Amino acid sequence: MKQIRPFGLIALSLWLCGCANTMKAEQPVVPPVANKIPHQLTIHGVTRTDDYYWLRDDSRSDPKVLEYLKQENNYTAEKLKPFNGLKAKLFDEMTARLNPAESSAPYKWHSHWYSRRYEAGKEYPLLERADSLNGPAQLLLDSNERAQGHEFYTLGDVTLSPNEQLMAFAEDTLSRRIYTVQIKDLNSGKLLDDVLQNVDGAGLAWSKDNRYLFYIAKDPQTLLGYQVFRHKLGTPQTQDQLVYEEKDDTYYISLGSSLDESRIVLSCESTTTSEVLVLDSSAPLGNFQVVTPREEGIEYQIVKHGNDYYILTNWQADNFRLMKVNTAYASDKRKWQEVIPHNPDVLLEEVLVLDNFLILQTRENGLTHVVVYPAANPNNGYELRFDDPAYVVGLGVNLNQHARELRVRYSSPTTPDSTYLYDLDQPGKRTLIKQRQVLGGFDRRNYQSERLRITARDGTLVPVTLVYRKDKFRHDGTNPLYVYGYGSYGIVIDPDFDDAVISLLDRGVVYAIAHVRGSETLGRAWYEDGKLLHKQNTFNDFEDVTRGLVAEKYAAAGKVVAAGGSAGGLLMGAVANQAPELYLAIAAHVPFVDVVTTMLDESIPLTTNEYDEWGNPNQQSYFDYMLSYSPYDNVKRQAYPNLLVTSGLHDSQVQYFEPAKWVAKLRDYKTDDNLLLLNMDMEAGHGGKSGRYRRYEDTALEYAFFLKLLGIND
């Protein structure tokens, strides 16, 4: 086998001249050069040569690969030395805004009030409960103790048994989103001997008798949750019973419980199709029953109320409508009765059914809304009103189906996360029960948000959210601009509050979110027009928003930076290839950039689930289209912006070798002297660093990178 030639930094040299004075000279820091080992990939009569395919190591233990990543990190560390002072200052700023004793708004479930809080300097939350709203708290779990000895830690699903005496909780200490579940006796405070391995961290459900716990097991190769097991307390995991297996690897599965706790709900979802199964929680040894069989292109979700299911579905309704049916006849769509009709201008996103009220979360003109209807008369509703030009509102923690009050979450680019309690019998009457405290002298009156539309090249109006500091902003085309984008899976990047962004705004940077096609910002059609064979619209929209903001004098040409992560990293890679002249610098986080190769490899986690999003390249039409925009395949011999690329060795969503290969190829092709830095976190995964404070390290790095390049040193 051909060996890899040495890589690395050229060490700093010290030499002595032949005189009395000692002189020091520094040689330039040279980036690593990845060895080229041609690997040919042929399909549909097209042969692609991937010189850096060797960087893929599924075991993450190949010394040659690890050495190369180490050299990249060393190079990045050297080149970032001039940025470190600003990075440290930004980190201190960001963490100083945190309330050391921050806590959540308590909510009542059964006979206790539950909440979580932080202690000063601690990275992870404490989970607590009390017998009354202001009563003394019982500590349920200290995540800081659980995280000791682990470089990475995240707490997944936490589920209480119906009798409130047992707590199951999921933990990941590797950042591969493979969880271990343990069960705590809340009376004795001791952990049970039951330990469940290789579990999906977002799907635990108890039986009504508190004796059985249902969980989702993951495929160790693809990392897909595909099997549901029933665990009997006091028995080893090897005796757990398989109660469901998803045979179609284009589907995700999830577990939960109905609001009335009478049903365990199993949801199976692909990108375009869904199916729901239910199990009577009082009969845990029974079988899951399908509510209505999956049908290609039909999505639905259920909410149980009494003997009825309320069904939110896109059946004959692109933007979804709300139906109702007796549980005994749910499998027959002919028996479904329409409650809230389809509106082509309003996307129905979520429904909450209470005894006397029907509450919908909707999206219209890009903004979320909450509408309240009397259950007896769903034609006579009222909307909760808010004043910010850009905001996000959604249903909060509402666990009592008999309630006459509603919790609502609210945030805007200038308003910290807030929880309101609405009296549903008195429309418009609300009480602020919790708002996140932002320290460091923050005053929301100093900032302004705007909502505007920019015309894309095909005439489509693309929504944009802007926020800036009033006394720093000049509408004369001189401001630096930060543009963020995502644009995939229908996911909306809502205009909520981000305390880290204050560090940009206070330095005169205008912050923009480009709500490009591929999200559901403007409804289902907006999503459909930015996926599959329409994906190019996502990239065009982002570029055209950038040009439009410069043309409308919100920003200066030459002072624009951009960022995106995961599928947003794909967006960054595409625009870097297509319109590099628009951006001074780009940050691509955990970027999905090797689209064709990844989507042809079904052994890679999540590949098959993504066919309905990107297409299946085994079909030539999709292969050709993907190949036309795949960032890795379209690297050119041209000048590129300054690039900061971040990833995690243990990433379960976008494998580390995609950004590693991309950077290696860019080094070989780019014709400029701009920075190209790969920062590979050897301990983290897709979400970056864990911890309340540590997560700001990555943000401080990105902001320091941008600000220094913009000439803003303080």
Side-chain angles (χ1 to χ4, degrees), residues 72-313:
E72 282 285 2
N73 280 346
N74 289 342
Y75 172 72
T76 294
E78 286 292 326
K79 299 300 287 186
L80 285 177
K81 282 182 176 178
F83 299 76
N84 286 342
L86 182 55
K87 175 189 171 184
K89 181 169 186 176
L90 288 165
F91 178 79
D92 290 343
E93 275 182 21
M94 294 172 186
T95 54
R97 296 190 187 104
L98 300 177
N99 175 4
E102 181 183 327
S103 62
S104 66
Y107 63 87
K108 189 175 185 181
W109 186 70
H110 290 201
S111 60
H112 291 89
W113 288 84
Y114 291 86
S115 62
R116 61 174 57 199
R117 67 177 177 85
Y118 288 92
E119 292 183 335
K122 299 290 185 66
E123 293 283 1
Y124 302 102
L126 284 72
L127 278 57
E128 298 179 330
R129 72 178 180 187
D131 293 335
S132 60
L133 180 58
N134 297 309
Q138 173 193 2
L139 178 63
L140 303 181
L141 189 72
D142 184 344
S143 300
N144 299 285
E145 291 183 358
R146 303 293 304 172
Q148 285 183 7
H150 300 290
E151 182 67 24
F152 178 92
Y153 177 87
T154 187
L155 183 64
D157 198 10
V158 178
T159 306
L160 276 293
S161 62
N163 63 8
E164 297 183 278
Q165 295 179 17
L166 299 169
M167 180 178 70
F169 59 96
E171 300 172 299
D172 175 14
T173 57
L174 185 61
S175 191
R176 288 287 282 169
R177 301 190 181 183
I178 302 174
Y179 289 78
T180 298
V181 172
Q182 294 197 258
I183 301 168
K184 185 175 183 178
D185 184 325
L186 299 181
N187 293 323
S188 68
K190 295 181 179 180
L191 293 175
L192 304 187
D193 292 334
D194 306 62
V195 178
L196 308 177
Q197 305 282 358
N198 194 39
V199 175
D200 188 308
L204 302 174
W206 286 95
S207 62
K208 196 72 171 178
D209 62 7
N210 312 289
R211 296 175 60 201
Y212 296 93
L213 182 67
F214 292 79
Y215 64 92
I216 298 172
K218 285 199 166 188
D219 183 298
Q221 176 63 41
T222 66
L223 302 187
L224 292 175
Y226 75 113
Q227 293 177 321
V228 177
F229 283 89
R230 180 181 60 238
H231 172 74
K232 182 179 180 180
L233 293 189
T235 64
Q237 187 178 13
T238 54
Q239 294 181 14
D240 290 355
Q241 297 296 307
L242 176 66
V243 295
Y244 178 83
E245 182 169 358
E246 178 54 60
K247 302 293 187 180
D248 189 336
D249 59 8
T250 66
Y251 278 74
Y252 296 96
I253 62 175
S254 59
L255 272 177
S257 297
S258 59
L259 188 57
D260 66 3
E261 301 174 41
S262 69
R263 299 290 186 272
I264 296 173
V265 181
L266 169 59
S267 299
C268 309
E269 297 177 300
S270 72
T271 305
T272 61
T273 306
S274 59
E275 181 179 65
V276 178
L277 300 90
V278 294
L279 173 66
D280 186 339
S281 61
S282 297
L285 301 183
N287 298 316
F288 279 92
Q289 302 296 321
V290 175
V291 173
T292 188
R294 64 185 66 175
E295 183 179 339
E296 182 62 35
I298 304 300
E299 299 175 60
Y300 72 95
Q301 55 183 275
I302 66 165
V303 176
K304 185 176 178 295
H305 184 262
N307 294 321
D308 295 321
Y309 287 136
Y310 283 80
I311 302 177
L312 192 62
T313 179

Side-chain angles (χ1 to χ4, degrees), residues 513-559:
I513 303 172
H515 302 285
V516 296
R517 278 172 279 187
S519 73
E520 285 188 340
T521 300
L522 297 181
R524 193 66 175 204
W526 196 250
Y527 170 41
E528 299 291 341
D529 210 22
K531 62 183 284 197
L532 296 174
L533 300 177
H534 303 287
K535 192 63 204 171
Q536 186 61 43
N537 287 332
T538 303
F539 316 137
N540 292 347
D541 286 356
F542 193 86
E543 296 165 14
D544 294 342
V545 163
T546 302
R547 292 188 178 95
L549 291 174
V550 171
E552 295 187 21
K553 298 188 181 302
Y554 283 95
K559 291 185 178 181

Side-chain angles (χ1 to χ4, degrees), residues 595-650:
V595 181
V596 179
T597 304
T598 290
M599 294 305 298
L600 282 169
D601 189 344
E602 296 182 8
S603 71
I604 293 178
L606 309 184
T607 291
T608 53
N609 297 75
E610 310 283 300
Y611 285 159
D612 290 328
E613 179 71 25
W614 312 103
N616 183 346
N618 291 294
Q619 301 174 29
Q620 184 159 3
S621 59
Y622 289 117
F623 171 82
D624 292 342
Y625 192 77
M626 287 180 186
L627 193 58
S628 72
Y629 68 76
S630 173
Y632 183 64
D633 291 290
N634 286 280
V635 171
K636 304 171 185 175
R637 298 200 179 280
Q638 64 178 13
Y640 280 87
N642 294 281
L643 287 166
L644 173 64
V645 182
T646 66
S647 184
L649 182 65
H650 300 288

Side-chain angles (χ1 to χ4, degrees), residues 8 21 42 48 82 125 134 146 158 244 258 309 376 444 450 476 612 644 673 681 689 691:
N21 294 326
T42 301
R48 294 175 299 129
N134 297 309
R146 303 293 304 172
V158 178
Y244 178 83
S258 59
Y309 287 136
R444 69 182 305 271
E450 290 188 35
D476 59 3
D612 290 328
L644 173 64
D673 293 324
D681 192 320
K689 291 181 174 62

